[in-house]
Amino acid sequence: MPCHVLGISAFYHDSAACLLRDGEIVLAVEEERLSRIKHDHAYPERAIAACLAAAGITAADVDTVVFYEKTLPKLERQLETWILTFPRSLGAFVRGMSRYLDGRIDLRRWLERRGGFRGEILFSEHHLSHAAFAFFSSPYERAAVLVADGVGEWATTSVWLAGPDGIVPEREILFPDSLGLFYSIITAHLGFRVNEDEYKVMGLAAYGKDSFGGEMASILPFCEGGGFVLKRRYLRLGGRERMASPALDALLGPPRAPGAPIEDRHRDIAHSAQARLEQALLRIEATLPPDLPLCMAGGVALNGAANARLARRRPLFVPFAPGDSGAAIGAAYVGHWLAGSPATPLPARSARISPRLGPSFSADACAAACAAAGLRARPLHELGGDPFVAEQLARGRIIGWFDGAMEFGPRALGGRSILADPRDPAVRDTLNARVKHREPFRPFAPAMLEQRATDYFEGAHPVPWMTEILPVRPERRADIAAAVHVDGTARLQTVGPHDAPRLHGLLRAFEACTGVPAVINTSFNVAGEPIVCSPEDACRCFRAAGLDALVLGDLWIAGADR
């Protein structure tokens, strides 16, 4: 009988579920893609149902359920924080405890009742779930693993040594000393949303200079052995409104109100905070065994600029979903690993794991969605297939691209993408203003043929999941002008023939048309919405975003004026 292990992440942000059958992923999907609530943190009922349906089983057939963190140690940390910061924390205490009063304080029994599970229910440590996903999905037989985020149960940064016998903890840094929390208080100070807009700080950093380096050293001083401290005087724990104290405002100046104009001071704060984060990570990396490659996960691993600097020091693997949604996959791997099943390796190291782990839809489902939306569709093969799409991109069309199974993680990687010609720098402004409705300083990523990346990028190597930001060669910047950030870098996605076969073919066709082996690739959504999942989602977003055309499987849908 096959062994089924279900991993779940929930109740903080980016809930998700992943089902393994004998160690192989059957399906993995974030709840937000099905509920259509961005960063949905609720119990992933829809995602679990999709996983079970894909396997043709019921909840009672699941052998092991693994939750991605230990709830009681997390509650202990929350209670200690609320007590130490009373009475300011009274509101946070009431709101926080209310989440447990529906029975979740005994989560094992709660899952049995809510989910109908009859098998074993286990709880992985938060950072172990991150580490397991990073290592078991990597190509390495042995590696050092670095996990850095806001906080798990107590750990905020942890180092692990991983090999054929498993993953062994080496050391950790505890709350509230946290690189993720450091970056979050800067995110909030700059008027952005915590746990959602940290990438905006990274993008804004390229526009500034390091004029706040001394202030950042005061907030996050370094210790021996790669350690660091987040100075308590700059924190305001336990409250709801802000995590920063008035001392931070005195040090950096008044906080920017959300939506207010961005000044040079804000750009410089972002630049110095980014520099301090990179310094902290490089100091940790310097303490790791020099002969081991590095795997990295946790929310901090979404920082592509820092990742690129680490990758220059040693081989680096960052999975396609290093945040909490990916921890659902890691939790499932932990369950399979603890079960000791020798049936299937965890996972096969012979091939790069694909992020295309979500639902896929038939040609009939795509046609039905078009008909229901009142859209006129033509079979794409009658127009010339994907080479026709390449020609349309070369003519300046902005195109929605819906192909195969949905990606898992925060990046669109060729399954649910919006594509455009990278040669015209005006495309960046058009995408930001007309399509994505977002800040004008936000950059876009180029998807490029893997074999051509070294011609365009300094230090290029395979980065199929947009996990690193690399310098573009000066002589090539005009070719991909819409993708080059103000500092001459771009968040590269390399595309090999096995990463996204159809996107790879489109890139070859676009190169044949234009001589440029890349297109702009951004997620198929508008601001405030998750990436589209179903054909119905794609048809709605096609209209809402004002796209010029939509490729829906093998269907071509042109805009009203096309």
Side-chain angles (χ1 to χ4, degrees), residues 258-426:
I262 293 175
E263 304 169 359
D264 287 343
R265 178 173 64 87
H266 303 133
R267 299 179 182 94
D268 291 352
I269 288 171
H271 184 101
S272 294
Q274 175 68 28
R276 193 66 176 173
L277 176 71
E278 293 177 13
Q279 292 163 10
L281 292 171
L282 290 170
R283 291 180 75 259
I284 296 171
E285 183 277 333
T287 69
L288 303 177
D291 58 328
L292 291 179
L294 176 61
C295 300
M296 190 174 175
V300 174
L302 287 165
N303 194 297
N307 293 346
R309 292 194 66 184
L310 289 166
R312 292 198 288 270
R313 304 273 285 263
R314 66 174 72 213
L316 174 69
F317 178 86
V318 177
F320 44 81
D324 278 7
S325 63
I329 302 177
Y333 282 158
V334 169
H336 182 78
W337 169 39
L338 292 178
S341 172
T344 306
L346 254 173
R349 294 292 203 270
S350 59
R352 182 187 290 165
I353 186 173
S354 170
R356 306 286 283 274
L357 302 173
S360 57
F361 299 86
S362 68
D364 288 343
C366 291
C370 285
L375 296 172
R376 293 185 58 192
R378 295 184 62 185
L380 186 57
H381 65 269
E382 293 182 1
L383 299 171
D386 292 336
F388 168 80
V389 180
E391 293 171 4
Q392 296 300 304
L393 288 168
R395 292 173 57 189
R397 307 287 194 259
I398 298 175
I399 299 174
W401 177 263
F402 184 101
D403 173 55
M406 183 181 63
E407 307 94 332
F408 189 100
R411 311 294 186 208
L413 301 170
R416 306 290 186 272
S417 294
I418 292 174
L419 306 179
D421 188 341
R423 297 172 298 168
D424 182 1

Side-chain angles (χ1 to χ4, degrees), residues 88 115 129 190 218 235 309 369 384 403 456 480 529 555:
R88 184 177 69 248
S129 297
L190 292 173
S218 297
L235 294 176
R309 292 194 66 184
D403 173 55
Y456 281 76
I480 54 171
E529 292 187 357
L555 297 176

Side-chain angles (χ1 to χ4, degrees), residues 15-46:
S15 296
C18 170
L19 183 69
L20 301 183
R21 176 188 285 136
D22 292 333
E24 294 288 347
I25 297 175
V26 176
L27 192 84
V29 60
E30 292 116 321
E31 184 72 2
E32 68 163 20
R33 306 295 170 82
L34 306 175
S35 71
R36 308 310 300 159
I37 300 170
K38 191 169 185 179
H39 298 302
D40 195 343
H41 64 272
Y43 176 68
E45 197 154 15
R46 297 171 184 84

Side-chain angles (χ1 to χ4, degrees), residues 489-513:
T489 64
R491 189 180 71 206
L492 173 64
Q493 176 197 359
T494 57
V495 182
H498 302 295
D499 296 323
R502 190 173 175 191
L503 180 59
H504 184 267
L506 179 67
L507 289 169
R508 292 183 63 185
F510 188 78
E511 183 181 28
C513 285

Side-chain angles (χ1 to χ4, degrees), residues 13 15 18 45 80 86 147 258 270 321 381 390 393 433 463 484 503 509 536:
H13 56 76
S15 296
C18 170
E45 197 154 15
E80 182 171 314
F86 186 83
V147 179
H381 65 269
L393 288 168
V463 277
V484 180
L503 180 59
E536 291 79 9

